Amino acid sequence: MNIPVVGPADRRLRVRLPVEGMTCATCVGRVEKALNRLPGVEASVDLAGESAEVRYDPVAVGPDQLVEAVEDADYQVPRERRELAIGGMTSASSTEAVGKALARAPGVVRADVNLAAARAVVEGIAGALRPAELIGAVRDAGYEAELLTGGAERERELEAAEARRIQRDLIRVVAAAVLTAPLLLPMIGIELNPWLALALATPVQFVAGARFYINAWRALRAGTGNMDLLVALGTSAAYLYSAYLAISGAGGYTYFEAAAVVITLVLLGRWLEARARHATGSAIRALIALWPERARVEREDGEIEVSVDAVSVGDIVVVRPGERLPTDGRVLSGASAVDESLLTGESLPVGKQPGDNVIGGAINGSGLLRVETTAVGRQATLARIIALVEGAQVKKARMQRLVDQIAAVFVPIVIACALVAFLGWYLLVGNFALGLIAAVAVLVIACPCTLGLATPTALMVGTGAAARAGILIRDAEALERAHLVDTVVLDKTGTVTEGRPSVTEIVADGIDEASLLALAAAAQTGSEHPIAGAVLTRAEGLRLPKLDDFQSQPGRGLTARVAGRRVAIGNRALMTEQRVPAPLDAEARRLEEQGRTVMWIASLDAEPALLGLIAVMDPIKPSAVGAVRRLRAAGIETVLLTGDNRRTAEAVAAVLGIGRVLAEVLPQDKAAEVALLQQQGHRVAMVGDGVNDAPALAQADVGIAMATGTDVAMQTAGIILMRGDPLLIADAIAVSRATWRKIRQNLFWAFFYNVIGIPLAGMGLLNPVIAGAAMAFSSVSVVSNALLLRRWRPSQGRQEVLYGHDDRRGRCQVRGSRQDDPLLRGNGADRSGGPAVEPLPEL
């Protein structure tokens, strides 16, 4: 049904395009009209089948334009992703060739190719991506491809295959070195027969060096150039000139050793590079290794052991002490401490009781747990983490795209430079041999591989290090922008506070406290706001009147009808709007200055009248003060953004050490406040966790969401913090800065090798052997430099800024007068104690 067909007299492709959102014949007409407007497209839409049969000319239009046309008509085209392991790529031009080949495959909307990971991620029309066609497209471009189906077993197979390839490369290097060694004897005064030199150099050139010729031919056939083409040209020129001298007996110095040593050194460099690149993917492999292969599932006739792939949502799995949890789930019975460190970066085991959620891949402690499965496969937390990290690693940053553009024209420029060097020496000096050697040196010292690897290797290692710390970076652009951030906007509730408020005071006016509480609780029965939850918790055990009607007033509160009585519950703005007098204004101010959020309750029947106040306090997170101090030490300004009243917000800001407060901001205005900061020249990171934070997260240069918050916030943000620890905000910026420092270093060395080396080689100041060694080890140095990012560590245990937390012993020692500060009471925090805060770590 989804097989594209090319007819002998019609070059158009045929594809069945799934379309979602159609409800009537009018919808059919809109979709058909949108598609048929495209050049070379003939479309027929089926409402019942929710699809469109499309024939299109691939020269005039691509699948991405088909999808865009449908989406412009306000309908959706579901997409799917396929991942391929690519073999044979050696430079940025290789990734370009593979990317173009995949983009031409039927059904492909977008193809991202990563040289460092040797992977390609293809996004296309759901049901239209055929693995055989994707693999065929890559092979037609001269490279190898293998479909990745996912799972730990598959990853282990790929790792074993990679290990075998590295071993074969080592054997090739050793063989080439053994044959090349005698060719160096003339350098110490021992003459070598030209025929013997020819016999030794030939297998090095055409057997050990066969890969260079094969890859060079593939590149030429695809209309591109690569490093292998340069090596093949340079060494072939030296070898053929030397072979002519040896066979003809014309005499003169031969350069067999130059060609053989260059090939041996390049092979050695490729082997070292392959080993180093293999290490850059260690974070992904560590995550995949967390997947257990078997699970113990309860059935009617007892426990049975099955493959993890056979577990379904709703199954009850039994996890014994020391075992890994096979799936995401909810604890039904048992109690234990679970180690989630590789998933969330949390250094200490997390206690789990019945009703708590657990994550597949975490290690169970000393207790037996019965867990009801809530997510499997791609929906599981571990799978989503892996997908996020892989997605971030395969996508290109703006810097990388610029470098790729340079690399695309690099090889032709180098060949031109080599030709100029040869002609200069031959025509101006009259020395053919020196011209040839200068040209060979230019060809072999050029390093397009280094340019291609500089950015992606650092991104791979950086995102992997961040993932181990519980920081998920969704794409390379978020990582790129984060290192420029100079202002962090913090949402209050759930970000710097626990998000679990509790009622602290009830002030009634003309009504008893229990009736006031019952009225407020009944009115908020249908609300999911944390403050409503606090009131309902406090009202447990009370008999609540009937809720007849409920209307939310965004940013202000609510109005409702409770047992026939109209009431308004919310902030001062709502009371002013409803013309409610404020006899308790002084009491409300006192509570707000103590950091409480005050909820006003009023009757709207006949004359509006205030019934009382309910004060709620949301404790500040223990590490929030330390997080603000770390950001300030790094030269980053912090801003508190909240819809709460100004006095409460300023009280919280005073404890945190935040000087700028944006209070009483309506949900729809948060994005505008972020935009205003950007207009003032700031690079802004917005940190939030709620649905109402999503527009601001999208507006900010970098959106940072707490994974403890809503899915909407996480889908909008570029960076996700796997645990609700504000210290991770500074850590996210720190890993971004460290990664971009490595990228800049790598690009410096990449351009340094070429800008310095190519002119020296052209002037005849570099022997081809030295040039080959410099080129061979340039890529190794870049990858090795990127691997230094693996030493980056988050600010574990920095809670001591607040309350003397000692991760080594797992104990908390409270300093200072936390009992004197109501905002910090009950969370073990001290607003003044603690050692000096270190700046963001440098690498």
Side-chain angles (χ1 to χ4, degrees):
M1 175 175 76
N2 294 314
I3 302 176
V5 178
V6 182
D10 187 356
R11 66 184 182 185
R12 289 187 296 179
L13 301 178
R14 180 181 298 146
V15 65
R16 184 172 291 274
L17 195 70
V19 180
E20 294 179 347
M22 296 188 299
T23 59
C24 63
T26 304
C27 300
V28 171
R30 287 180 62 185
V31 175
E32 284 186 346
K33 185 177 180 181
L35 289 169
N36 288 325
R37 272 201 302 261
L38 298 173
V41 172
E42 180 182 343
S44 175
V45 178
D46 177 16
L47 177 61
E50 292 188 312
S51 62
E53 188 78 11
V54 183
R55 298 178 70 186
Y56 67 98
D57 183 351
V59 175
V61 69
D64 55 335
Q65 292 167 286
L66 298 177
V67 172
E68 186 178 342
V70 174
E71 292 178 344
D72 285 345
D74 295 327
Y75 299 93
Q76 294 79 46
V77 177
R79 304 184 189 185
E80 65 177 337
R81 287 159 55 95
R82 299 279 187 176
E83 187 175 1
L84 303 169
I86 309 295
M89 294 192 301
T90 57
S91 66
S93 58
S94 303
T95 65
E96 184 180 4
V98 172
K100 287 181 178 179
L102 287 170
R104 288 193 294 265
V108 174
V109 174
R110 191 182 72 209
D112 291 317
V113 184
N114 187 296
L115 173 63
R119 301 281 175 93
V121 175
V122 178
E123 182 178 343
I125 301 166
L129 286 185
R130 297 179 60 82
E133 291 166 349
L134 298 177
I135 292 172
V138 175
R139 288 178 176 170
D140 288 344
Y143 301 89
E144 293 299 316
E146 188 173 7
L147 183 69
L148 300 179
T149 57
E153 185 61 35
R154 183 67 179 150
E155 190 67 22
R156 280 191 285 270
E157 291 175 5
L158 287 171
E159 190 168 354
E162 178 68 16
R164 289 193 296 270
R165 282 193 292 270
I166 292 174
Q167 184 66 26
R168 287 196 299 269
D169 288 347
L170 178 60
I171 293 172
R172 191 177 288 112
V173 169
V174 172
V178 170
L179 293 171
T180 300
L183 295 174
L184 299 176
L185 292 176
M187 298 179 66
I188 59 174
I190 301 175
E191 292 296 326
L192 199 64
N193 184 285
W195 286 95
L196 177 59
L198 177 64
L200 291 170
T202 299
V204 175
Q205 187 73 35
F206 298 109
V207 179
R211 62 183 293 178
F212 301 115
Y213 290 98
I214 294 170
N215 292 336
W217 170 245
R218 288 172 174 173
L220 288 173
R221 196 172 62 180
T224 61
N226 59 13
M227 186 67 235
D228 294 303
L229 177 61
L230 298 180
V231 173
L233 286 174
T235 59
S236 294
Y239 171 85
L240 292 174
Y241 174 68
S242 301
Y244 163 75
L245 294 179
I247 294 171
S248 66
Y253 188 82
T254 61
Y255 297 96
F256 287 121
E257 84 285 352
V261 168
V262 165
I263 286 176
T264 302
L265 287 174
V266 174
L267 289 174
L268 175 61
R270 292 279 173 85
W271 175 71
L272 292 171
E273 177 190 324
R275 289 186 62 196
R277 282 168 56 183
H278 184 64
T280 63
S282 60
I284 290 291
R285 289 194 297 274
L287 287 171
I288 291 175
L290 298 180
W291 253 319
E293 297 179 16
R294 311 290 292 176
R296 200 174 291 102
V297 181
E298 287 187 359
R299 295 288 190 250
E300 292 182 359
D301 52 351
E303 292 181 13
I304 62 170
E305 192 173 283
V306 300
S307 168
V308 168
D309 295 332
V311 179
S312 302
V313 173
D315 283 347
I316 297 174
V317 297
V318 178
V319 188
R320 294 174 180 171
E323 293 181 342
R324 288 195 182 275
L325 289 143
T327 63
D328 289 4
R330 180 174 56 87
V331 177
L332 294 179
S333 64
S336 184
V338 175
D339 182 359
E340 300 175 342
S341 57
L342 276 176
L343 293 163
T344 65
E346 176 60 61
S347 58
L348 299 177
V350 180
K352 299 294 180 181
Q353 304 287 339
D356 289 341
N357 293 324
V358 291
I359 304 173
I363 301 174
N364 185 25
S366 57
L368 179 72
L369 296 177
R370 290 176 64 251
V371 177
E372 180 183 7
T373 302
T374 57
V376 295
R378 293 184 180 182
Q379 300 305 314
T381 300
L382 180 57
R384 291 161 67 188
I385 291 173
I386 292 171
L388 279 173
V389 177
E390 287 180 331
Q393 291 179 348
V394 80
K395 290 180 181 177
K396 294 182 179 181
R398 284 175 294 179
M399 178 73 77
Q400 186 179 348
R401 289 194 291 268
L402 175 62
V403 172
D404 286 351
Q405 291 172 359
I406 297 172
V409 298
F410 184 82
V411 172
I413 291 174
V414 170
I415 293 175
C417 291
L419 183 61
V420 169
F422 171 74
L423 293 175
W425 283 96
Y426 181 56
L427 297 178
L428 299 179
V429 182
N431 193 323
F432 177 87
L434 287 180
L436 177 66
I437 292 305
V440 171
V442 169
L443 290 171
V444 299
I445 200 172
C447 309
C449 297
T450 311
L451 290 173
L453 289 169
T455 301
T457 50
L459 286 174
M460 284 189 69
V461 182
T463 53
R468 286 194 299 270
I471 302 165
L472 299 186
I473 298 169
R474 294 175 64 92
D475 55 60
E477 289 189 359
L479 190 70
E480 181 177 15
R481 292 191 296 264
H483 85 285
L484 298 172
V485 164
D486 58 35
T487 303
V488 171
V489 178
L490 300 170
D491 176 59
K492 184 174 75 72
T493 304
T495 302
V496 297
T497 65
E498 297 285 358
R500 296 191 296 270
S502 59
V503 175
T504 57
E505 285 92 9
I506 300 174
V507 182
D509 185 15
I511 186 175
D512 62 88
E513 290 187 3
S515 298
L516 180 67
L517 181 61
L519 185 67
Q524 296 180 92
T525 303
S527 175
E528 296 182 356
H529 195 282
I531 291 179
V535 174
L536 289 167
T537 299
R538 181 65 176 266
E540 286 180 359
L542 294 179
R543 184 175 179 178
L544 303 183
K546 181 183 176 182
L547 175 64
D548 299 318
D549 183 40
F550 175 95
Q551 288 185 332
S552 176
Q553 306 292 329
R556 300 186 301 279
L558 62 90
T559 56
R561 185 175 294 277
V562 180
R565 187 177 192 178
R566 287 189 64 233
V567 295
I569 302 177
N571 56 21
R572 289 173 184 269
L574 181 62
M575 296 300 108
T576 301
E577 182 182 290
Q578 298 295 334
R579 299 180 179 178
V580 177
L584 298 177
D585 185 69
E587 181 67 15
R589 289 176 182 274
R590 182 185 66 81
L591 292 170
E592 288 169 350
E593 288 169 357
Q594 294 178 357
R596 268 65 163 172
T597 297
V598 175
M599 186 187 311
W600 301 68
I601 301 99
S603 171
L604 301 182
D605 291 328
E607 285 296 321
L610 186 67
L611 300 177
L613 310 172
I614 295 180
V616 175
M617 186 188 72
D618 189 3
I620 294 174
K621 290 181 178 179
S623 59
V625 173
V628 172
R629 290 182 181 177
R630 284 198 66 214
L631 290 169
R632 188 189 307 120
I636 298 172
E637 180 187 4
T638 53
V639 178
L640 188 66
L641 177 65
T642 179
D644 213 336
N645 70 83
R646 176 160 296 278
R647 274 183 294 274
T648 300
E650 289 178 346
V652 172
V655 174
L656 295 173
I658 296 176
R660 189 170 183 179
V661 178
L662 301 175
E664 300 175 7
V665 179
L666 297 176
Q668 63 268 27
D669 294 336
K670 288 187 176 182
E673 293 289 351
V674 171
L676 182 60
L677 289 170
Q678 292 171 320
Q679 291 169 11
Q680 294 169 358
H682 296 289
R683 299 293 181 92
V684 182
M686 171 69 194
V687 188
D689 69 340
V691 173
N692 60 4
D693 297 324
L697 290 170
Q699 174 65 42
D701 295 284
V702 181
I704 303 176
M706 301 282 188
T708 51
T710 64
D711 287 341
V712 174
M714 285 187 283
Q715 289 297 325
T716 308
I719 298 176
I720 299 172
L721 309 181
M722 284 301 292
R723 62 183 193 276
D725 185 353
L727 283 173
L728 287 181
I729 301 167
D731 289 332
I733 297 173
V735 74
S736 171
R737 290 182 173 183
T739 301
W740 282 94
R741 191 173 302 110
K742 288 300 174 191
I743 289 174
R744 287 193 295 269
Q745 291 170 2
N746 282 352
L747 289 174
F748 168 79
W749 286 112
F751 283 104
F752 175 82
Y753 278 120
N754 291 293
V755 172
I756 300 298
I758 291 176
L760 290 177
M763 290 186 291
L765 300 177
L766 281 181
N767 183 284
V769 172
I770 304 300
M775 185 276 296
F777 289 99
S778 62
S779 296
V780 178
S781 65
V782 164
V783 178
S784 300
N785 187 47
L787 285 173
L788 293 177
L789 272 172
R790 296 170 71 183
R791 300 186 304 176
W792 180 84
R793 293 293 182 271
S795 56
Q796 292 291 342
R798 293 289 174 86
Q799 288 97 330
E800 76 271 13
V801 173
L802 265 180
Y803 58 92
H805 186 278
D806 188 339
D807 277 337
R808 292 170 297 177
R809 291 185 291 272
R811 297 184 303 186
C812 296
Q813 297 178 346
V814 179
R815 303 193 201 94
S817 54
R818 67 182 176 92
Q819 298 297 332
D820 298 333
D821 193 332
L823 281 173
L824 301 176
R825 189 177 300 146
N827 63 11
D830 172 30
R831 67 194 297 179
S832 57
V837 181
E838 299 178 16
L840 298 180
E842 302 272 337
L843 282 179

